[in-house]
Each structure stands twice: as structure tokens, then as C-alpha cells.
Amino acid sequence: MAKISPFAPPDLPALPAIEGVRLAACAAGIRYPGRTDLLLALFQPTTTVAGVFTRSKTASAAVEWCREHLRHGMARALVVNSGNANAFTGMRGREAVKETAQAASRVADCLEADVYISSTGVIGEPLDPGKFVGRLVELADRAEPDAYQMAARAIMTTDTFPKLATRSCEIGGVTVTLNGIAKGAGMIAPDMATMLAYLFTDAAIEPAALHEVMAPLVEDSFNAITIDSDTSTSDTVLLFATGAAAARGAPRIAHGDDPRLEGFRAALFDLMRDLAHQIVKDGEGLTKFVKVTVTGAESKAAARVIAKSICNSPLVKTALAGEDPNWGRIVMAVGKAGERADRDRLAIWFGDIEVAKDGERASTYEEAKGAAYMKRPEIDIAVDVGVGEGRDTMWTCDLTKEYIAINADYRS
Amino acid sequence: MAKISPFAPPDLPALPAIEGVRLAACAAGIRYPGRTDLLLALFQPTTTVAGVFTRSKTASAAVEWCREHLRHGMARALVVNSGNANAFTGMRGREAVKETAQAASRVADCLEADVYISSTGVIGEPLDPGKFVGRLVELADRAEPDAYQMAARAIMTTDTFPKLATRSCEIGGVTVTLNGIAKGAGMIAPDMATMLAYLFTDAAIEPAALHEVMAPLVEDSFNAITIDSDTSTSDTVLLFATGAAAARGAPRIAHGDDPRLEGFRAALFDLMRDLAHQIVKDGEGLTKFVKVTVTGAESKAAARVIAKSICNSPLVKTALAGEDPNWGRIVMAVGKAGERADRDRLAIWFGDIEVAKDGERASTYEEAKGAAYMKRPEIDIAVDVGVGEGRDTMWTCDLTKEYIAINADYRS
């Protein structure tokens, strides 16, 4: 296996229980024997759900299933398997999803439509649900409210550490909790990866309002990260709100613009961004965690395009790996983005070091300073393109020989 | 230095002289001592020129100069230096171009506007023309009609072999010659690379007609290749037509749609594609030369977007490096391209091997066959996306640890 990310936390956070959520996981032998690869989450009957999925035109059968059933917005069970993405598996793939939903609906005593499903792992291999649906009864029996670490492990593929985070906030004077788990190491590595995140809260929020709060927050959290520019067939973010806090006096919120959601929105965004950063920090083969801020663009969208161009450039990423303050490659990446930029007003900073100004190397810049800065594990790059007020920030990692080893040597 | 590409030709082609063109090169010490880094080409007074340049928003000063002077369409001299791109060098960069043009116009006894200039190499370092303009007199004195190999060497940076090609055809019953030289190893590697191509012919073609013939041919030659998805600040293709064949009875062509250009257009396209393929075959760190054909898309443009998505995917490229028949990553790259594709009609071939059909693994496909095919040095991937008649072909190479070594370790 790949070596552990240098950004892996020394201790995993212990997530508190969330009333109305129970979790269990086991090793079902879906691809590798002895590897925890099946997660079941059970929710109390008042649980609402919101989700955001991959924009891939070759989305997996499980993503199609979730998209369709999200419309009614209620959830009683979540089943996630790793080891097989059940993507590009034709009619058999759809049947595997249906069979999983049936089995989960029996153990959760709910409608099939209340079951949410994700699969992650190799693409194009038929997924045999017979391998794991029989295990769901046992998982339901021993599901517990505090099994988040085991749950986070069950959804890992090329991840080198489980990703967990928790926050709390008040809604109408009542404290509610938000927990999240995520996986992802290549933005997608179809052999054995993809980005999945599951968020849980005891807040009481109607489905439409839940979607209205959560969906826009994806833009600057999970959509603001890129490891290798590739897009999964299975990327999924699901937020389950059990409503259990209502019994403690929390209001049931019906509208996304309800001012009582202010603290919740902030806590949810913070949780999502934390998990997103953890995904980057487990980027395949990484040695650097890199923040790229673009200002002075025509709009936020233009700034995003430029930031993404910098983050995805193999030449910028290899320079970062080489601890090379090669700002010429940043100029190149701005130029190729296609958005308006004033070459002769372009400015670049590494942290507080002004590198380029007014379209050429800053007179105060010294290569030795830039080289020293690049030795840090966390790098801040800021670029002003000098044409407007648009700004955006993205996070990425470097591109190393280890990335190639992980992705070129995996099956060979 | 990097090891020589496995696709380097055992013998360099000897290009014939083209009447009206003389070439000379020398080592001017622009970045490294003893390395041939300065090319001067001189053209007879009837020479017309057409050009196509980078779409980068941070184009270099030399590109801006060429774009401006192409309008009048006549050329007497070409000066190319390697070792410094003179890009992102502000006002000093523009002054360096002007000074180079002045010096070249004196040795060529022409207007400054008849001088074309390219620079390739590191970005952001001021280029001191004092280092080389003094050498132009000597180069003009010893310029010769058959110095193409030396010319091709003078424009190399991270290239591991010089790129040369020649063709001939008839215009109005008179044989004309086309020669070309090119450089490029990263699609751009701003430290020491970029894509440059210079084409020479003795045909007699008016500037507007020359542009009309050449510009559309770029799309399926130089624009149909990608090594690392990065775009140079300096990419340049220039075609010089001396008109010397007119003295041998060749007609002077005034319109791009003149039917007498049929053979010329075909020979020019063939020459351009040959040089484009040579650039891919010198891709940094490559071990595979890969052709990707997309059919069944909504349009040629849509097919190009999908082909580019496949060619630029780090996960597809690392799988190629690992000789892994990982067709799931091709499905992923089709999905992320954003163009319409029918997942359930998608088909994939490796050479003649049908890998996937109707949205799942082909029943006849055996992994062992795919694995054996992937061991070849030249790989053909074909994908049908099942929605229309649009088709396109692109060429690329694999992504190896050697690419990372070249680009991460270069300056560190």
C-alpha cells in the first residue's frame, strides 16, 4: 500500500452520537478479504435528506438511484460499499442497486425509496450484491450511535487515513450536532477511489430547506478542491437530518432562508470545508497542501476557472513537488485559462512574499526567499489578474512520482 | 539531461535546399554555454508568410510582435533564440524584441516589419538581446541553404531529438518543396520548452492565400496533440513561402481556394502532422505514443472535447504508463468531458480488441488480451459515444515518473 499521508492527523477525532443515527460496518469481502468494505447507517423515521452528485455524463447506477429518490427527501437507510463502483455495468448494475435497496428496506423496515446507496471502487466490474446483502441483518442488529470511525474506515479505498469532523451550533436556542465522514484520495481514481461524503445532524429541517441550505455550500467546499482534475462517476455528498433535536425543543425549519439557520449554515459549511481539506490532505502521493487564491478577475466564476487552471496544471504541480518557486508556470496557467487577465498588471505572491508585480518579476523578489518558502508543507499562492473584483480560492496538492506509482503500478 | 525518447529516429532526415531560404545557427550563450541557441533564417524579397500563435492570455512579447507584423504578410528574416522565453518581462521584453528586429533588419537589409521573432525557454527572466544581436552579422555571412539540421537543433530546449520533415508536390505542373522544423517536448514546460514550428517552401503564394491554406490545417495537426494539457505563452507556427519556384514556371497563387493548391494543401498537412507527431514522440518522459479516436459524438467539436478529456486525464495517462488496460478510466474521462454521451451505448476498442459495448464490458473481452495489447509502444484507443456522427482524432503520450523527474527536479 501507499505510505501514509504526511498530513494524516496523529489522533482521529471522536465524534459524538447523533440522536436518530446508528451505524455499523463489516468486511464483506467485496474485493479484498478482511477489509472493512460495507457500511450501513440507519435513521429514525423523521429523517430528511439532501444530496449533491457528480456532474459526470457516465454517472453510476447508485448515483442515478439517489438522484431519483431524493425528490421525496426522506431517508431511513444508507448503504455504502467500497471495492466496486458498480459503474458502467449496464442493466446488471441497476439490478444490483435495486436488490441492495430491497434488502436494506427489509432490515430498516422502510420503503425502498428511503434507502440511499453508494458504491466506490473499480469501474466496469459487475457488482454481485449477493456478496453483501446477507450481511445487512447482522449490521442492523449491532448498529450503534457512536461508530463513526468504523464508518469512515468502511468507505476508504486508496485513502491513507479516515476522514471525520464534527461541529455544533444552535437552532432556535437549542444545540444541534453535525457529524461528517468522507473519503477520497484521487479526485477520482476509478480503480479504487472517488469522493464520497456523508453528513449527519439531529436538526429538524424539511427536505427542501435542507437542500436549499446545503447545495450552495458545496461550491466553496467539495467543489473547491482538486487533486488530479479527474471527475468520478460516483461523487456523492448526502446530508441526513434526523430531526431528533425537535424533541429537545428545536424548531422544525421549513424554509432555507429561515434566519434561525444562520449558525447551522456556518457550522455546516465549516464541517464540509474541513472534510474537503482532509480529502486534499490525503491526495495520492502528496507532499504539499496548497491554497490558491485568485483576485482581480472579472467575476467569481472567472476567478474559479483561473484558480482551477493553476491547481490542475501538471507543470505547476510538479514544480510544487520539486519545491521550485517556478512562478513562470503560474503565469502560464493564468494564460491558458482563457479568462480575461491583464498580463501587464499581473501580480503573484507566495505567502507574504511578492514575487511578481505589474507583469514582471518584483524588484524586491529574491529567488532564495521563494525557494525557502516552497520548503513548507503548506503553500499559499495568491494571484491578482488586474481586471476586476472577482475572487475565488481553491485547494490542491502537488503531483509526485508517488502519484504515478500509485496509479500506474496499481494493477500491473 | 533526460534520456533520449524511445521514438527518436535512428537517422535524421536530410532536408533539401529550398531556393530563397538560407539558415545559420550558433551558440550565443543565452542560458547555457556551448549550446546552439540562436537561429537566423534569411528569405529572398518575394517571401510571403502566414502564422498561427498561442491562444494564451499571457502571450510573450515576440508572439505579439509576429501577430502585428503578419498583417502585411511579407518576410525577410526569422530570429529564434532558445534558453529564454522573453515572456512576462514587461516593457523590457518589448524593448528586447524591438532591438532584435532592428539588428536583424540591418543584416537582412530589410524593414523591421519583415523580421519575425520567437523566444523559448525560461519565463520571467529578462532577456538581454546584447548577448546575441552582435552575432547576427556573422550568421548572415555564413547562412546556407541546407542547414536545416543545425536550425532544428538551435530551437531545442528539453527536446531529446531535432524534429525535421520534408515533402514535395506540384503546383501548376511545377514541383515545389516543403520543409519543416519543430520543437516541443512538454506542450509547454515554461522552464525550457514550448511548441515552435517553422515551415518553408519555394511555392509562390500571396500572403492572404497562404494564411487561408495553412491556418485550418493547424486544427488537426498541431492542435490535435497534447502532452500535458499545458499551453505555452510562446507557441508559434510560421510558414514562409519564398516564391522562388515562380522562376521555374510555378504560378503565383492569389486565392486560398485555387484548385491548383490541392496537392500543396495535402503535402502541407502531411508535413504539419508529421512534425506534430514528432513532438508527441518526444513528450517528456514518454514510453507510449497514443492515438485516441472518438466517434458517435454530437459534432466534431464535441468529439474533440471528449478526445482531449481522455488524452489529458492523468489517470488515463498513468494507466498507459503502467501498461494497464484500465478502460474504466476512459469511461470516467468520457463522463467528465461534459459533452453528450449515451452511457448505455458507449463502446471502447484497444486496436481491434472490443473492450466495452452497449455500456458494459464486452462479453468477448479478456483482460489478458487487453494487457498484451498495452505492452505495444504505439496504442490506438477508439471510443464511440453513441449519440451522433461527430468524430475526431488526437495524439498523446503516457505520464511517467520520468515526466515528474524532468519537471519537478529541473531547477531544484
Side-chain angles (χ1 to χ4, degrees):
Chain A
M1 271 316 280
K3 61 173 185 276
I4 305 294
S5 163
F7 296 96
D11 299 298
L12 293 181
L15 269 52
I18 286 182
E19 217 181 327
V21 180
R22 289 184 303 133
L23 304 154
C26 68
I30 291 167
R31 189 171 160 101
Y32 299 105
R35 184 156 163 171
T36 307
D37 55 9
L38 181 64
L39 165 66
L40 175 67
L42 295 171
F43 308 110
Q44 71 175 41
T46 53
T47 302
T48 58
V49 59
V52 173
F53 303 94
T54 179
R55 292 174 193 154
S56 170
K57 306 287 178 186
T58 54
S60 72
V63 164
E64 283 188 341
W65 172 275
C66 290
R67 266 206 194 105
E68 186 185 335
H69 294 290
L70 260 183
R71 285 188 222 140
H72 73 100
M74 304 300 289
R76 293 294 306 285
L78 167 71
V79 181
V80 186
N81 74 275
S82 56
N84 186 315
N86 190 26
F88 208 65
T89 45
M91 184 52 71
R92 278 183 292 178
R94 287 187 280 270
E95 284 161 6
V97 169
K98 175 86 177 158
E99 196 176 328
T100 306
Q102 275 174 343
S105 72
R106 279 194 297 270
V107 306
D109 190 22
C110 66
L111 301 173
E112 285 173 28
D114 293 332
V115 177
Y116 291 80
I117 297 170
S118 302
S119 296
T120 179
V122 67
I123 288 183
E125 291 284 337
L127 170 66
D128 176 9
K131 279 194 172 171
F132 62 85
V133 293
R135 308 294 298 272
L136 293 174
V137 175
E138 160 209 340
L139 289 182
D141 282 348
R142 61 177 173 80
E144 291 183 44
D146 57 359
Y148 286 96
Q149 291 189 359
M150 186 193 282
R153 280 186 202 284
I155 63 175
M156 284 168 60
T157 53
T158 52
D159 301 64
T160 72
F161 65 87
K163 292 153 191 81
L164 300 123
T166 182
R167 296 291 185 278
S168 67
C169 63
E170 289 194 356
I171 301 183
V174 176
T175 299
V176 301
T177 304
L178 294 110
N179 283 348
I181 61 173
K183 63 96 31 186
M187 189 61 205
I188 180 204
D191 253 352
M192 281 299 290
T194 218
M195 198 216 80
L196 303 176
Y198 305 101
L199 314 171
F200 309 91
T201 179
D202 50 354
I205 305 177
E206 299 286 349
L210 198 65
H211 182 81
E212 216 174 299
V213 172
M214 191 267 269
L217 302 180
V218 170
E219 184 65 13
D220 287 320
S221 56
F222 296 113
N223 282 353
I225 60 171
T226 177
I227 289 171
D228 54 15
S229 83
D230 279 339
T231 305
S232 167
T233 50
S234 313
D235 289 335
T236 295
V237 180
L238 285 167
L239 166 58
F240 300 95
T242 66
R248 290 185 285 111
R252 179 162 281 275
I253 308 284
H255 299 286
D257 57 1
D258 191 313
R260 290 172 297 180
L261 284 178
E262 195 186 329
F264 180 82
R265 180 178 282 109
L268 178 61
F269 179 60
D270 205 38
L271 180 83
M272 289 165 70
R273 190 138 81 176
D274 185 338
L275 290 169
H277 290 184
Q278 289 189 52
I279 290 172
V280 176
K281 286 181 171 174
D282 203 9
E284 289 168 342
L286 96 162
T287 67
K288 304 285 180 189
F289 177 68
V290 185
K291 177 181 177 182
V292 174
T293 302
V294 172
T295 55
E298 278 199 315
S299 62
K300 175 175 167 64
R304 170 63 56 95
V305 170
I306 296 167
K308 200 178 270 181
S309 177
I310 296 169
C311 287
N312 282 338
S313 161
L315 290 165
V316 170
K317 293 167 95 77
T318 48
L320 287 163
E323 302 190 331
D324 175 2
N326 193 327
W327 56 275
R329 295 186 181 179
I330 296 170
V331 175
M332 175 282 298
V334 171
K336 82 166 179 164
E339 294 292 338
R340 215 156 73 78
D342 184 340
R343 188 192 63 190
D344 296 332
R345 294 183 63 191
L346 204 65
I348 297 170
W349 294 263
F350 294 152
D352 294 331
I353 304 167
E354 189 173 55
V355 178
K357 189 184 175 179
D358 294 334
E360 58 186 312
R361 193 168 57 192
S363 58
T364 55
Y365 177 67
E366 293 163 31
E367 183 86 356
K369 276 191 214 167
Y373 183 79
M374 284 296 147
K375 297 204 180 300
R376 300 182 185 201
E378 306 206 3
I379 306 284
D380 265 25
I381 296 173
V383 179
D384 192 287
V385 298
V387 297
E389 299 295 318
R391 62 177 296 142
D392 189 61
T393 299
M394 288 192 79
W395 287 266
T396 191
C397 59
D398 54 340
L399 174 60
T400 65
K401 288 178 204 167
E402 185 68 14
Y403 176 90
I404 309 286
I406 292 169
N407 288 297
D409 305 343
Y410 206 89
R411 283 171 36 159
S412 60
Chain B
M1 270 318 279
K3 59 173 187 276
I4 304 294
S5 164
F7 296 95
D11 299 298
L12 293 180
L15 269 50
I18 286 183
E19 217 180 327
V21 180
R22 291 184 300 132
L23 304 154
C26 69
I30 291 167
R31 188 171 160 101
Y32 300 105
R35 184 157 165 170
T36 307
D37 55 9
L38 181 65
L39 165 67
L40 175 68
L42 295 171
F43 308 110
Q44 71 175 41
T46 55
T47 302
T48 59
V49 59
V52 172
F53 303 94
T54 179
R55 291 173 193 155
S56 171
K57 305 289 176 184
T58 54
S60 72
V63 165
E64 282 188 342
W65 173 275
C66 290
R67 266 206 195 105
E68 185 185 336
H69 294 289
L70 261 182
R71 286 189 221 141
H72 73 98
M74 302 301 289
R76 294 294 307 286
L78 166 71
V79 181
V80 185
N81 74 273
S82 57
N84 186 314
N86 191 25
F88 208 65
T89 44
M91 183 53 73
R92 276 183 293 178
R94 286 187 280 271
E95 283 163 6
V97 169
K98 176 85 177 158
E99 195 176 329
T100 306
Q102 276 174 343
S105 73
R106 280 193 297 270
V107 305
D109 191 21
C110 67
L111 301 174
E112 286 173 29
D114 292 333
V115 178
Y116 292 80
I117 297 170
S118 301
S119 296
T120 179
V122 68
I123 288 183
E125 290 284 336
L127 171 67
D128 176 9
K131 279 194 171 170
F132 62 86
V133 293
R135 309 293 298 272
L136 294 173
V137 176
E138 157 210 342
L139 289 182
D141 282 349
R142 60 178 174 79
E144 291 183 43
D146 57 358
Y148 287 95
Q149 292 189 359
M150 186 192 283
R153 281 187 202 283
I155 64 175
M156 285 169 59
T157 52
T158 52
D159 302 63
T160 71
F161 64 88
K163 292 153 191 83
L164 300 123
T166 182
R167 297 290 186 278
S168 67
C169 63
E170 289 195 354
I171 300 183
V174 177
T175 299
V176 301
T177 304
L178 295 109
N179 284 347
I181 59 172
K183 61 100 25 186
M187 190 62 205
I188 179 203
D191 251 354
M192 280 300 290
T194 220
M195 198 216 81
L196 303 176
Y198 305 101
L199 315 170
F200 310 90
T201 179
D202 51 353
I205 305 177
E206 299 287 346
L210 198 65
H211 182 81
E212 218 175 298
V213 172
M214 191 268 268
L217 302 180
V218 171
E219 185 63 12
D220 287 319
S221 57
F222 297 113
N223 282 354
I225 58 171
T226 176
I227 289 171
D228 54 13
S229 82
D230 279 339
T231 305
S232 168
T233 50
S234 312
D235 289 335
T236 294
V237 180
L238 285 167
L239 166 58
F240 300 95
T242 66
R248 291 184 285 112
R252 178 162 282 273
I253 308 286
H255 300 286
D257 58 1
D258 191 313
R260 291 173 295 181
L261 283 179
E262 195 186 330
F264 180 82
R265 181 178 282 109
L268 178 61
F269 179 59
D270 205 38
L271 180 82
M272 288 164 71
R273 191 138 80 175
D274 185 338
L275 291 170
H277 289 185
Q278 289 189 52
I279 289 172
V280 176
K281 286 180 171 176
D282 203 7
E284 289 168 342
L286 96 162
T287 67
K288 304 286 179 189
F289 177 68
V290 185
K291 178 181 176 183
V292 173
T293 301
V294 172
T295 55
E298 279 201 315
S299 62
K300 176 174 167 64
R304 171 62 58 95
V305 170
I306 295 167
K308 200 178 269 183
S309 177
I310 296 168
C311 288
N312 282 339
S313 160
L315 290 166
V316 170
K317 294 168 95 80
T318 49
L320 288 162
E323 301 189 333
D324 175 2
N326 193 327
W327 56 275
R329 295 184 182 180
I330 296 169
V331 175
M332 175 281 299
V334 171
K336 81 166 180 166
E339 294 293 336
R340 215 156 73 77
D342 184 341
R343 189 192 63 189
D344 296 333
R345 294 183 63 190
L346 204 65
I348 299 171
W349 294 263
F350 294 153
D352 295 331
I353 305 168
E354 189 174 53
V355 178
K357 188 183 176 180
D358 294 334
E360 56 187 315
R361 192 169 57 192
S363 57
T364 54
Y365 178 66
E366 293 162 31
E367 182 87 357
K369 276 192 212 165
Y373 184 80
M374 284 295 148
K375 298 206 179 298
R376 300 182 184 201
E378 305 206 4
I379 306 285
D380 266 24
I381 296 172
V383 178
D384 192 287
V385 298
V387 298
E389 299 295 318
R391 61 177 297 142
D392 188 62
T393 299
M394 289 192 77
W395 288 266
T396 191
C397 59
D398 55 339
L399 174 61
T400 65
K401 288 178 205 169
E402 185 69 14
Y403 177 90
I404 309 285
I406 293 168
N407 287 297
D409 305 343
Y410 206 88
R411 283 170 39 158
S412 60

